[in-house]
Amino acid sequence: MGVLVRLLKFAIFLALVFGTFYVASRLYRNQQIESCEAFFDSEEKIALEVLKPKWGDKDPVPNLDQERIKVLVIEGGGAQGLYALRILDYLEKKTGKPICELYDVMGGSSIGSLLVSLLSIPQIDNPKKPLYSAEQIIQVFSETAHRTLEPTWKEKILSGYGLLSPILQNQKFIKVLQSFYGNMLFSETINHLVLYGYNFNTSRVSAFENRGPPLQSADPVLYQLIGSTTSPFGIAPVNKILLSPLYPPQFIGDAAFVVNNPLEDVVYKLTKAYPNKKFLINNIIIKPKELENTINFPFYSGWLEATIRYQYLQVLAHNQMTREALQTLSSVYKIEYMLEMGLDQNNEWLEMNSFDFSKKNLKKIDNFAKLILSENKDALDKVAAELLKD
């Protein structure tokens, strides 16, 4: 009898603990929803105020007269985007020119969209010159990412580590983006940009272009667009963004789960926008180009392990399909020179968590990026030399 009483007391104790946690997590989730709704209501007012004189303006058209167009595309990779930044910093220092002058068109998904847009922000008093260099972004990347994207212990526990509700509340991240971008519009960047987001209203990937008649949507406020294209579904709440004066805001999120490397689509768009041109394409791949033992995928691995491994396999398959598509396109279009700046097979890099923005993980990623960079300087020197050609 004594054993049954103790078991009953223990069961009651567990019920109280889990019941308290469930109530607290539900209250926290409701608070999240109310906070997001209030935040995006204020963001819509900002967009309406900024865009008021811009509705109906003529869409910006491509204005690239040179024979060869230089293209940079950066795939998604979260915190591992530091690797791409190190590459871009090296190219800027090697050539003595900012990234926005080395490339004419830049595209990206997730962290890629953030990096290419930051490097294309013009100075207020000199619209042809960039506000930030790659080195300046590196200097603030880790601290800013840790401060805005690393969840607190409270957020981790009450969200059930992301199982019950989004683990990240990205309002503070979007506010930081506003401090970097100001209220500039998407069309006001130095370069022709092609950025990718997932539209939850239409269940389609959206390619946002800021050049070409006509724009596929309204000219959004840039920091709001970047806040949307870098909000991964299930980890952070997707964002409302105003794309038209005639329709309500659309829910836009990170497209990386669907299109992590948008290179193929970028090339398709550019061959239409710039007919009879030659293209120099640089593609920065953040995930490894090859994975070890992929042919020995264990069939009975369990749902959780299979899901985790599938994400890496999906990236590998997509990168492979992109290469094959570009090889086919190069036989038709003038893709004169293509360079792929990625990592070869490396288990240590593969196991680094892209969504871990702790200072320890960010430092580990940066140190590893520096190591890879030092071992591939000859290849990057060739890239720099090619970029300096007209």
Side-chain angles (χ1 to χ4, degrees):
M1 182 65 70
V3 174
L4 290 175
V5 171
R6 285 197 294 271
L7 287 174
L8 180 61
K9 288 181 178 179
F10 183 67
I12 294 173
F13 171 75
L14 288 178
L16 287 173
V17 169
F18 284 107
T20 301
F21 170 73
Y22 177 76
V23 171
S25 64
R26 294 299 297 182
L27 291 173
Y28 174 70
R29 186 178 181 184
N30 291 339
Q31 184 183 30
Q32 280 185 320
I33 294 172
E34 291 176 3
S35 174
C36 282
E37 288 179 345
F39 178 76
F40 289 119
D41 282 345
S42 66
E43 288 294 290
E44 184 179 354
K45 292 176 183 176
I46 292 173
L48 285 170
E49 190 62 32
V50 172
L51 292 169
K52 189 183 297 182
K54 295 290 182 179
W55 295 126
D57 279 11
K58 185 179 180 181
D59 296 322
V61 296
N63 185 25
L64 298 175
D65 297 326
Q66 66 268 30
E67 182 183 0
R68 186 173 72 160
I69 295 173
K70 300 170 186 175
V71 184
L72 171 67
V73 178
I74 305 177
E75 73 171 10
Q80 289 173 301
L82 265 170
Y83 168 69
L85 265 178
R86 286 291 174 189
I87 288 178
L88 299 177
D89 178 48
Y90 183 86
L91 292 176
E92 284 192 335
K93 290 174 179 174
K94 186 69 179 180
T95 61
K97 290 187 175 184
I99 290 298
C100 66
E101 290 184 16
L102 293 174
Y103 296 97
D104 304 301
V105 182
M106 300 195 289
S109 180
S110 193
I111 187 65
S113 71
L114 172 63
L115 297 181
V116 298
S117 59
L118 277 174
L119 292 168
S120 190
I121 298 176
Q123 298 176 12
I124 296 176
D125 55 347
N126 191 349
K128 297 292 185 181
K129 294 294 181 181
L131 187 60
Y132 306 113
S133 66
E135 183 179 26
Q136 288 174 309
I137 299 173
I138 288 173
Q139 290 172 353
V140 299
F141 184 94
S142 293
E143 178 60 34
T144 303
H146 173 72
R147 179 164 45 89
T148 59
L149 296 174
E150 179 66 9
T152 64
W153 65 268
K154 175 185 173 183
E155 290 171 330
K156 291 177 181 178
I157 292 175
L158 293 180
S159 68
Y161 282 78
L163 294 175
L164 303 176
S165 64
I167 195 170
L168 289 176
Q169 288 304 288
N170 54 359
Q171 291 98 317
K172 55 185 178 182
F173 174 63
I174 294 173
K175 284 299 183 184
V176 168
L177 290 179
Q178 187 180 23
S179 70
F180 283 104
Y181 292 94
N183 285 338
M184 70 176 297
L185 298 175
F186 188 30
S187 63
E188 295 171 342
T189 60
I190 298 171
N191 300 86
H192 178 173
L193 299 182
V194 189
L195 311 180
Y196 289 80
Y198 188 85
N199 190 323
F200 285 86
N201 291 78
T202 62
S203 300
R204 296 176 64 88
V205 172
S206 295
F208 297 96
E209 284 191 81
N210 64 352
R211 301 287 190 274
L215 289 173
Q216 292 188 3
S217 65
D219 191 2
V221 181
L222 185 54
Y223 83 86
Q224 294 179 353
L225 177 61
I226 300 302
S228 296
T229 61
T230 53
S231 294
F233 177 64
I235 296 174
V238 296
N239 298 347
K240 287 182 180 180
I241 181 169
L242 193 65
L243 297 176
S244 167
L246 303 177
Y247 301 101
Q250 303 284 291
F251 283 96
I252 307 295
D254 195 325
F257 287 147
V258 182
V259 179
N260 193 58
N261 187 348
L263 177 60
E264 183 181 346
D265 189 69
V266 170
V267 172
Y268 277 126
K269 292 185 182 306
L270 297 185
T271 53
K272 293 179 180 179
Y274 305 102
N276 302 317
K277 299 284 188 177
K278 294 179 181 179
F279 296 95
L280 166 64
I281 300 173
N282 289 173
N283 181 28
I284 300 183
I285 291 179
I286 293 174
K287 289 296 183 184
K289 292 190 283 185
E290 297 178 7
L291 303 182
E292 188 177 9
N293 298 326
T294 52
I295 59 173
N296 297 321
F297 183 81
F299 186 79
Y300 297 102
S301 60
W303 174 82
L304 186 59
E305 183 182 351
T307 301
I308 293 171
R309 300 190 75 173
Y310 174 73
Q311 293 175 1
Y312 297 125
L313 295 171
Q314 184 183 36
V315 170
L316 172 65
H318 186 265
N319 287 341
Q320 178 185 346
M321 291 177 67
T322 298
R323 290 188 202 100
E324 292 174 355
L326 284 171
Q327 288 175 0
T328 303
L329 286 170
S330 64
S331 65
V332 179
Y333 299 102
K334 299 175 183 178
I335 301 178
E336 182 186 69
Y337 198 88
M338 187 174 71
L339 296 166
E340 185 179 86
M341 295 176 281
L343 296 169
D344 289 324
Q345 187 178 106
N346 190 287
N347 285 337
E348 185 180 358
W349 180 254
L350 177 63
E351 292 169 1
M352 290 184 186
N353 188 348
S354 295
F355 296 109
D356 180 359
F357 292 93
S358 64
K359 292 182 178 179
K360 180 179 179 181
N361 191 58
L362 287 167
K363 186 175 181 180
K364 184 178 180 181
I365 289 172
D366 197 28
N367 287 337
F368 197 87
K370 292 177 186 175
L371 175 63
I372 296 298
L373 191 64
S374 67
E375 294 178 351
N376 292 275
K377 284 188 176 179
D378 289 343
L380 286 173
D381 287 347
K382 293 179 181 178
V383 175
E386 194 65 31
L387 288 171
L388 288 174
K389 298 178 182 177
D390 54 16

